[in-house]
Amino acid sequence: MIQLHQISKIYNQGKTNAFQALHKIDLKIADGELVAIIGTSGAGKSTLLHILACIDSYESGEYYIDDTLVKNCSEKKLAQIRNKKIGMVMQDFALVDDFSALQNVMLPLDFSKSKVSEKKEKCLKALQAVGMEKFAHHQSNKLSGGQKQRVAIARAIVNEPSIILADEPTGALDSKTSSEIMELFKSLNDAGRTVIIVTHDMKIAQQCKRVIRIEDGKIVD
Ligand SMILES: Nc1ncnc2c1ncn2[C@@H]1O[C@H](COP(=O)(O)OP(=O)(O)OP(=O)(O)O)[C@@H](O)[C@H]1O
Ligand SMILES: [Mg+2]
């Protein structure tokens, strides 16, 4: 369960260029939901997703993941939550160009104490889940946009997180590849994961069980 209570985010607080990107956001998302977040460019979608992913801070309000108040966590505990509970697919894939697909998927396992052979097996399983096992040893900057997106998803799911957050996962893809990627998210959701997708694409949003619209840093719908 995800709960945001009166979350406000101000970039550059205290400076002349201070900007309030989120205004007192209240939001509850139950386990196993499939949610789309929509809204115009600059509305605050990525900001909200980054806060949900525990990779960005906020100026006021409370964020609970399950029963954990995120604000009170040490860096170590926060890293643990990010690593175990959350899988994030960034707006621009954020793959390491000169790493292979497999090496990219392995990144979240860097801190795991498992044997390398076990880690590799886990990564190959994740790559298989997104239909990319044949490309495991391909350098990631030589993959197509859709293939990169799949590798980014494999990396997000390799630790079997309960929450998957995706920022415009189909933004750069043609409509056929987009619907394939959406099928992938739906199957992850069918397997019981919470999936939250930021999108501009109404075709994607319509396939989610709940749509949240955000405008000027406020949830309006
Ligand atoms: N690091 C930052 N410093 C200052 N302002 C920022 C920063 N990141 C985002 N903003 C501002 O906060 C607002 C919300 O940005 P955000 O990236 O969340 O929008 P978005 O809804 O994801 O837009 P898009 O659809 O274009 O990705 C925008 O006005 C943006 O200019
Ligand atoms: Mg964005």
Side-chain angles (χ1 to χ4, degrees), residues 11-12 19 21 39-48 91 167-168 200:
Y11 288 109
N12 308 314
F19 180 81
T40 49
S41 182
K45 306 180 296 297
S46 296
T47 303
L48 178 60
Q91 191 157 6
D167 200 350
E168 296 279 0
H200 276 117

Side-chain angles (χ1 to χ4, degrees), residues 68-165:
T68 308
L69 178 59
V70 171
K71 209 173 2 198
N72 288 349
C73 293
S74 62
E75 259 317 306
K76 191 173 163 209
K77 172 79 182 162
L78 214 53
Q80 244 172 25
I81 294 177
R82 275 196 295 260
N83 210 254
K84 294 224 166 89
K85 292 207 173 174
I86 298 167
M88 172 83 183
V89 183
M90 303 291 277
Q91 191 157 6
D92 56 359
F93 316 130
L95 298 178
V96 181
D97 275 349
D98 54 1
F99 274 23
S100 69
L102 183 74
Q103 285 170 318
N104 269 289
V105 176
M106 191 89 92
L107 286 171
L109 303 179
D110 264 358
F111 300 106
S112 146
K113 293 188 178 75
S114 315
K115 282 191 208 140
V116 175
S117 59
E118 281 168 17
K119 291 194 210 176
K120 262 194 184 156
E121 201 172 315
K122 245 180 142 172
C123 294
L124 287 170
K125 226 177 95 189
L127 283 166
Q128 194 175 13
V130 300
M132 284 296 289
E133 70 277 23
K134 283 199 205 105
F135 295 87
H137 299 289
H138 283 233
Q139 200 173 309
S140 60
N141 62 358
K142 291 185 179 139
L143 298 172
S144 72
Q147 291 169 336
K148 282 183 189 164
Q149 192 58 274
R150 283 168 206 273
V151 173
I153 295 170
R155 184 177 59 189
I157 63 175
V158 70
N159 268 325
E160 304 186 12
S162 45
I163 303 164
I164 295 164
L165 305 168

